[in-house]
Amino acid sequence: YFWELRGHLRDGRQWLEWGLAQNAEIAPAARASAQLALASILETQGESAPALAHSEMSLEYYRASGDTARIAHAALNAAAIASSLGGAELTHGYIEEAQATFANLADIPWARRASSHLPLLVVSNWTSQAGLAEAEQRLRDVVDQQRLIARESGSEEPFACWPLIAWGTMAHVA
C-alpha cells in the first residue's frame, strides 16, 4: 500500500518483481505477501491477467498455511481482478471463498468492512441499463452498510470511499 498511496507504483512493481525473481530462499509467507502486493499494483496498472495469476499464487500459499485472514484478503483481491476481466465463472468461486472465510472473521471490524464490498463483484453487466440500475443499488447498499459499521464503531467516517465515488460517477453518467 505504501507505493499505491504515494503514487510510486512503478518503483513498487520493480522492487517486487526483482525480489520475487531472486533465487535466494524466501520465506513462503513473505513470497505470498509480495505476490499479493504485486497483483494489486498490476491491477491498478491495467494488467489484470498477470495480476490474477499473482493473486492466485498467493491464495494457494494462504490456503495451504490455513491463514484465514489472508485467504479472505487474497480471495477478495482475486474476485475483484477476475471481475475486471469479465470472468463471471472465475469471480464466483473467489467470491464464495471470500464469503466463507470472512464469515469466520465476522467479529473483526476490518473483515466486516472488507466483506461489504463483495456484493459489488457480482453485478452481471455494468454497461447495460439494467446492469447500471443493479450496480447503483449495490453501491447504495454497500455505502449504507459501511455507514452503519461506522456508526456502530463510533467512527464518523464511513469506509466506503471508492463506492461513494463510483456511485457519484454513475449518477453523473445516468
Side-chain angles (χ1 to χ4, degrees):
Y1 296 115
F2 171 83
W3 295 301
E4 288 183 70
L5 291 174
R6 287 164 178 77
H8 300 291
L9 293 176
R10 188 175 9 169
D11 291 342
R13 179 179 178 167
Q14 288 173 343
W15 278 111
L16 289 165
E17 288 176 337
W18 176 84
L20 289 168
Q22 300 305 302
N23 289 328
E25 182 90 17
I26 299 173
R31 179 173 294 281
S33 293
Q35 289 166 331
L36 191 56
L38 182 56
S40 182
I41 289 173
L42 289 168
E43 175 65 11
T44 301
Q45 292 179 325
E47 296 185 42
S48 298
L52 185 56
H54 281 286
S55 191
E56 177 59 38
M57 286 186 278
S58 69
L59 188 52
E60 286 176 22
Y61 168 76
Y62 295 135
R63 286 174 185 143
S65 71
D67 187 335
T68 306
R70 287 193 171 88
I71 291 169
H73 182 190
L76 177 61
N77 192 54
I81 294 168
S83 177
S84 73
L85 285 168
E89 66 284 346
L90 286 176
T91 305
H92 187 67
Y94 293 126
I95 289 172
E96 285 182 342
E97 184 171 15
Q99 286 172 326
T101 51
F102 276 124
N104 292 327
L105 302 168
D107 296 335
I108 302 172
W110 71 262
R112 187 171 171 212
R113 287 183 172 141
S115 68
S116 70
H117 288 173
L118 287 169
L120 297 176
L121 300 176
V122 294
V123 175
S124 57
N125 183 355
W126 289 73
T127 59
S128 72
Q129 193 62 29
L132 285 174
E134 178 187 359
E136 181 179 7
Q137 184 57 52
R138 288 181 189 262
L139 285 163
R140 181 175 292 147
D141 293 346
V142 166
V143 170
D144 288 346
Q145 182 180 9
Q146 291 188 351
R147 284 182 175 149
L148 175 65
I149 293 168
R151 279 194 304 274
E152 288 173 354
S153 71
S155 170
E156 291 297 318
E157 300 174 31
F159 181 73
C161 181
W162 75 264
L164 281 170
I165 292 168
W167 188 12
T169 302
M170 290 182 70
H172 180 70
V173 170

